[in-house]
């Protein structure tokens, strides 16, 4: 599929979402179905505002006789989706109680998890059956891009760690640029044209759609004692962690380490694609007037990437001279195997991508739909978002990446595994470029010591709602 075909596909998806969504959804019926009793809405609001899960006990709970059929809360990033954000927020508030729509600029998802859900749980412990049923049936909708969805999923994941089951399943209203998480669970690749009626259908689907599972992956970075400048939102400085044993270290290990951790749901990448993304990210921050929506973002990104060595260096020199094999060693643990295996990085690879979803870069599938005989020959299995495995592929340069994205050729299939370890060997390179789920950063590298990146599956899965 070429770039024009991909654009037409997004348009047709949006039109289908509005014209083939089944019977008309009645606004008042939907509102009754998803709106919590007023006393619960007020209790949750007060618990969040006071940051006290005990909340205010002065509400009359006599209205609690009948909980709503499918209680729902929505997290919205009003900065996503260009001009649609504020209007969408108002529309959502029309379709359910205002207190059930959370603006992420004022209510962070971890605050809702700690105090909002905590309030329902405490009320249930005190014998409030309506609060208990609401907590058990609750569903979440995220209106935003992939980064916003990942943020909310990460906060909901804390419920697993705290033993606070069940974890509410999540649906998506796509407001981002790529929306690959949304595409993977059939919520569409773009914000619909006829959005007022489409939002009603989305909430109706979210109230009754089947649930499914999604793997997520923990990234641990161990480096010599220095800090990453301006790390992305998803990467946090943590206490020093010990490295997984059983792998030979190529370079030297420093006495004191700086350690970072983060989680991704879609992809982690190293190399030139991350470098281009890093440059575009800073260009957009310096000149925000240039990028006001998904389409302008894509146009500017394409133009910016064409000015980088990602495209033009291969025309003037041997790309293998800039290949990642010069600075990276990669080890993989295969399925049902406890041993690390050294995997050779192709000499021509200037980007390495570890991919969790079947959608990447606005709905492309660079891993491809591989034939059974090829899978068997390479020792691979068919890729799924909940199989506990991650696919690792390489891109040679911008021209190769462009042909992969238009599905004219395949990416370089490198490996498939249950865990990955990268060692960046000290040398002349002073920095590398990394990104996960669209958040790029510049990774400092020591001349004397190695930097290690380990990717392992998070031990629990996120619960998603399928939009089909």
């Amino acid at each position: 599929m070429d770039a024009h075909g991909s654009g037409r596909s997004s348009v047709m998806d949006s039109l289908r979402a509005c014209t083939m969504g089944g019977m008309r959804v009645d606004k008042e019926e939907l509102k009754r179905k998803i709106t919590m009793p007023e006393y619960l809405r007020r209790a949750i609001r007060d618990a969040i505002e006071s940051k006290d899960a005990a909340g205010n006990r002065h509400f009359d709970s006599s209205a609690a006789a009948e909980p709503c059929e499918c209680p729902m809360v929505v997290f919205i990033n009003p900065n996503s989706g260009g001009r649609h954000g504020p209007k969408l927020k108002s529309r959502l508030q029309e379709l359910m109680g205002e207190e059930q729509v959370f603006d992420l600029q004022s209510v962070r998802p971890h605050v809702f998890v700690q105090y909002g859900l905590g309030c329902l749980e405490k009320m249930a412990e005190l014998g409030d059956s309506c609060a208990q049923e609401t907590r058990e049936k609750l569903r979440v909708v995220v209106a935003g891009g992939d980064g916003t969805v990942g943020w909310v999923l990460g906060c909901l994941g804390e419920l697993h760690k705290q033993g606070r089951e069940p974890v509410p399943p999540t649906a998506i209203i796509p407001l981002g640029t790529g929306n690959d998480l949304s595409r993977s669970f059939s919520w569409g690749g773009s914000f619909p044209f006829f959005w007022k009626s489409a939002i009603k259908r989305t909430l109706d689907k979210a109230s009754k759609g089947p649930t499914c599972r999604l793997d997520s992956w923990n990234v641990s970075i161990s480096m010599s004692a220095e800090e990453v400048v301006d790390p992305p939102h998803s990467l946090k400085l943590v206490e020093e962690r010990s490295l997984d044993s059983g792998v030979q270290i190529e370079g030297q290990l420093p006495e004191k380490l700086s350690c970072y951790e983060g989680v991704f749901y879609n992809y982690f990448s190293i190399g030139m694609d991350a470098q281009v993304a890093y440059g575009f990210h800073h260009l957009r921050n310096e000149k925000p007037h240039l990028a006001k929506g998904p389409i302008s973002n894509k146009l500017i990104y394409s133009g910016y990437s064409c000015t980088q060595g990602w495209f033009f260096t291969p025309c003037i020199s041997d790309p293998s001279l800039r290949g990642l094999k010069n600075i990276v060693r990669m080890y993989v643990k295969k399925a049902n195997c406890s041993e690390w295996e050294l995997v050779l990085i192709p000499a021509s690879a200037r980007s390495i991508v570890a991919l969790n979803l079947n959608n990447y870069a606005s709905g492309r599938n660079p891993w491809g739909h591989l034939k059974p005989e090829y899978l068997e020959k390479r020792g691979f299995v068919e890729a799924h978002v909940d199989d506990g495995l991650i696919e690792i592929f390489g891109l040679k340069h911008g021209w190769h990446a462009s042909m992969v994205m238009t599905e004219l050729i395949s990416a370089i299939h490198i490996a498939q595994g249950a865990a990955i370890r990268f060692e960046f060997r000290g040398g002349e390179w002073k920095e590398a470029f990394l990104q996960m789920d669209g958040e790029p950063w510049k990774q400092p590298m020591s001349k004397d010591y190695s930097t290690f990146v380990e990717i392992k599956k998070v031990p629990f899965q996120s619960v998603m709602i399928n939009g089909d």
Side-chain angles (χ1 to χ4, degrees):
M1 181 186 298
D2 60 18
H4 296 295
S6 177
R8 286 195 299 271
S9 177
S10 293
V11 170
M12 293 307 298
D13 285 346
S14 295
L15 289 172
R16 272 196 294 270
C18 299
T19 59
M20 299 175 65
M23 295 186 64
R24 178 178 174 273
V25 177
D26 181 81
K27 177 180 175 180
E28 293 306 316
E29 184 179 335
L30 175 65
K31 193 168 184 176
R32 285 192 297 272
K33 183 179 182 181
I34 65 177
T35 303
M36 301 178 199
E38 183 180 1
Y39 86 99
L40 286 184
R41 303 200 310 267
R42 294 173 63 193
I44 292 171
R45 178 198 63 196
D46 282 11
I48 291 172
E49 289 179 353
S50 65
K51 290 187 167 52
D52 178 8
N56 187 331
R57 298 301 182 203
H58 301 297
F59 295 127
D60 175 14
S61 62
S62 60
E66 288 294 332
C68 65
E69 181 182 338
C70 184
M72 187 177 295
V73 296
V74 179
F75 292 99
I76 179 169
N77 184 350
N79 291 331
S80 298
R83 57 189 172 84
H84 294 296
K87 293 180 181 179
L88 176 58
K89 178 182 173 182
S90 297
R91 176 63 170 170
L92 289 166
Q93 289 174 331
E94 289 176 12
L95 297 172
M96 63 181 77
E98 265 189 42
E99 302 90 345
Q100 292 172 233
V101 180
F102 297 102
D103 186 328
L104 287 167
Q105 290 181 320
S106 54
V107 178
R108 301 291 194 256
H110 73 272
V111 173
F112 169 79
V113 168
Q114 184 174 353
Y115 302 111
L117 290 186
C119 174
L120 289 178
E121 290 163 358
K122 287 190 177 296
M123 293 174 75
E125 288 172 6
L126 294 172
D128 189 326
S129 59
C130 180
Q132 180 175 349
E133 188 171 337
T134 298
R135 170 66 182 89
E136 291 173 351
K137 290 183 174 181
L138 187 69
R139 292 191 165 204
V140 170
V141 177
V142 182
D146 285 346
T148 304
V149 177
W151 183 18
V152 174
L153 291 178
C155 293
L156 291 175
E158 292 298 310
L159 294 168
H160 283 284
K161 299 176 185 178
Q162 298 166 11
R164 295 166 58 192
E165 307 283 349
V167 177
T170 300
I172 303 169
I173 297 173
L175 296 185
T177 302
N179 299 311
D180 289 307
L181 271 167
S182 178
R183 297 171 195 269
S184 296
F185 295 97
S186 303
W187 293 107
S190 60
F191 192 66
F193 293 119
F194 305 109
W195 61 273
K196 285 193 174 183
S197 56
I199 294 306
K200 286 193 300 181
R201 274 190 288 274
T202 294
L203 296 181
D204 186 54
K205 284 183 179 180
S207 72
K208 59 190 178 185
T211 61
C212 48
R213 301 282 171 168
L214 169 66
D215 290 335
S216 55
W217 298 83
N218 181 266
V219 176
S220 298
I221 301 174
S222 302
M223 53 191 279
S224 59
E226 55 182 313
E227 292 190 1
V228 176
V229 177
D230 192 25
H233 172 80
S234 55
L235 199 66
K236 305 296 183 186
L237 185 64
V238 296
E239 294 181 0
E240 185 173 329
R241 306 289 173 88
S242 59
L243 290 168
D244 192 340
S245 59
V247 181
Q248 180 182 351
I249 295 174
E250 180 76 8
Q252 298 184 60
L253 190 64
E255 292 183 7
K256 185 172 177 56
L257 294 172
S258 290
C259 298
Y260 288 81
E261 283 195 355
V263 174
F264 71 91
Y265 297 86
N266 190 350
Y267 69 94
F268 172 90
S269 74
I270 300 169
M272 200 66 200
D273 69 317
Q275 184 173 343
V276 170
Y278 180 85
F280 170 73
H281 176 77
H282 283 270
L283 174 68
R284 185 172 57 178
N285 286 346
E286 291 169 5
K287 301 179 180 180
H289 60 280
L290 293 177
K292 294 185 177 180
I295 295 175
S296 59
N297 279 345
K298 289 176 182 177
L299 290 173
I300 295 167
Y301 189 94
S302 298
Y304 178 81
S305 63
C306 285
T307 67
Q308 306 304 297
W310 183 219
F311 276 90
F312 293 122
T313 299
C315 298
I316 58 175
S317 66
D318 182 354
S320 68
L321 297 177
R322 291 177 169 267
L324 288 174
K325 67 171 292 186
N326 296 324
I327 61 165
V328 182
R329 287 175 72 90
M330 181 171 69
Y331 297 84
V332 171
K333 279 186 182 179
K334 295 186 176 178
N336 304 315
C337 183
S338 60
E339 300 296 322
W340 289 102
E341 178 182 318
L342 176 65
V343 175
L344 297 179
I345 296 173
S348 60
R350 298 180 66 199
S351 285
I352 295 174
V353 182
L355 183 63
N356 185 41
L357 303 181
N358 294 325
N359 286 286
Y360 170 84
S362 301
R364 277 69 172 188
N365 184 358
W367 185 256
H369 302 285
L370 307 183
K371 295 180 179 179
E373 53 269 25
Y374 179 80
L375 291 171
E376 184 178 357
K377 178 182 177 182
R378 294 295 306 271
F380 298 157
V381 296
E382 188 175 351
H384 295 285
V385 299
D386 60 351
D387 58 8
L389 297 174
I390 196 161
E391 287 67 51
I392 307 161
F393 65 87
L395 299 171
K396 298 177 183 179
H397 43 69
W399 307 111
H400 178 245
S402 297
M403 289 187 283
V404 170
M405 293 304 109
T406 54
E407 300 183 10
L408 293 175
I409 59 175
S410 295
I412 307 170
H413 298 118
I414 299 176
Q416 188 180 51
I420 315 169
R421 179 172 176 174
F422 297 104
E423 179 182 357
F424 294 82
R425 292 168 288 178
E428 297 304 317
W429 293 60
K430 295 181 180 179
E431 60 198 20
F433 290 88
L434 283 63
Q435 68 171 331
M436 53 186 186
D437 286 357
E439 290 192 278
W441 72 93
K442 189 185 294 185
Q443 178 64 42
M445 293 176 60
S446 168
K447 184 175 181 179
D448 301 315
Y449 302 108
S450 290
T451 295
F452 300 90
V453 176
E454 290 188 348
I455 298 176
K456 296 183 179 179
K457 184 178 171 298
V458 173
F460 49 81
Q461 294 174 310
S462 296
V463 187
M464 307 300 296
I465 303 171
N466 197 304
D468 275 339

